[in-house]
Amino acid sequence: MRKAHVIAIISFILLLTALPAYAGTFYLHDHPDYWWYMGTNPGFAAVVPAKGQSYVERNIFGMDILEILMDNGSVSMEVAVLKNSTIEDVRKSIEERFKPAVKDIKVASNRMITTSNNLQCHFYSYEATGAHGRKVMLRSVIFEKDKNVVSLSLFLDSNKYAGDIQQYWLRAVNEFEWN
């Protein structure tokens, strides 16, 4: 029996050391439909939906990304952190990201806004026609502090920007804060 416990403990420790280090940590929010996602470098807090179907943290070329998929993967919300960058550089990369998959792009917003938390950020959004023939929407807000950028982005079919999805987005934008 004792041998089984030792093997279980060693297996657990090996499993923990094999797991990747993540860019952020999740904490309970006052509302059960949300979690706080906390970044440490730079320090920030973003409100994200607690009812996503999958949560993937990854690092691509030095950019930390949390991707939350909803509605069978047809809605994607991202929190991305990029150090030593600018709002304009990140905006351009977001704008270009899906250009091969969309046509007839109509920019709806490309301007600075102030959130409910009284933070300045850049709001960029467009509607287009996706490769599947339906109207699609990209929405992004980009926060900058001390040459660090955090962007929140939402990618979805335009008709899905309603109800819970719309509330998840609005709450993420308006409750974002720097630590």
Side-chain angles (χ1 to χ4, degrees), residues 137-152:
M137 175 186 293
L138 172 140
R139 301 178 79 77
S140 188
V141 291
I142 308 163
F143 297 90
E144 183 178 25
K145 181 179 179 185
D146 300 329
K147 298 189 191 245
N148 296 307
V149 175
V150 176
S151 68
L152 309 175

Side-chain angles (χ1 to χ4, degrees), residues 26 37 48 52-58 60 64-70 73 75-80 97-98 153 155:
F26 295 92
Y37 179 71
V48 297
Q53 291 168 323
S54 70
Y55 297 78
V56 177
E57 289 182 298
R58 56 196 169 145
I60 299 176
D64 292 320
I65 301 170
L66 167 66
E67 180 181 38
I68 303 165
L69 296 179
M70 298 171 276
V75 175
S76 174
M77 182 183 283
E78 289 183 355
V79 179
R97 184 173 181 182
F98 294 107
S153 299
F155 313 96

Side-chain angles (χ1 to χ4, degrees), residues 113-121 141 143 173-176:
I113 63 169
T114 302
T115 68
S116 296
N117 270 353
N118 205 29
L119 290 177
Q120 290 281 311
C121 63
V141 291
F143 297 90
V173 170
N174 286 296
E175 291 189 29
F176 178 89

Side-chain angles (χ1 to χ4, degrees), residues 83-175:
K83 297 176 190 148
N84 297 315
S85 193
T86 66
I87 287 175
E88 187 59 19
D89 289 342
V90 172
R91 187 201 62 78
K92 283 180 185 176
S93 72
I94 292 168
E95 178 181 50
E96 296 291 323
R97 184 173 181 182
F98 294 107
K99 263 197 174 167
V102 297
K103 62 182 179 183
D104 303 325
I105 295 173
K106 292 181 181 77
V107 174
S109 186
N110 186 11
R111 62 189 170 93
M112 295 299 290
I113 63 169
T114 302
T115 68
S116 296
N117 270 353
N118 205 29
L119 290 177
Q120 290 281 311
C121 63
H122 190 89
F123 176 48
Y124 179 76
S125 69
Y126 70 65
E127 280 198 316
T129 303
H132 55 18
R134 296 189 298 265
K135 281 224 173 255
V136 296
M137 175 186 293
L138 172 140
R139 301 178 79 77
S140 188
V141 291
I142 308 163
F143 297 90
E144 183 178 25
K145 181 179 179 185
D146 300 329
K147 298 189 191 245
N148 296 307
V149 175
V150 176
S151 68
L152 309 175
S153 299
L154 183 67
F155 313 96
L156 68 164
D157 285 355
S158 294
N159 65 348
K160 294 184 179 191
Y161 186 66
D164 287 344
I165 300 295
Q166 184 178 37
Q167 289 309 306
Y168 294 154
W169 174 251
L170 293 173
R171 197 138 193 189
V173 170
N174 286 296
E175 291 189 29

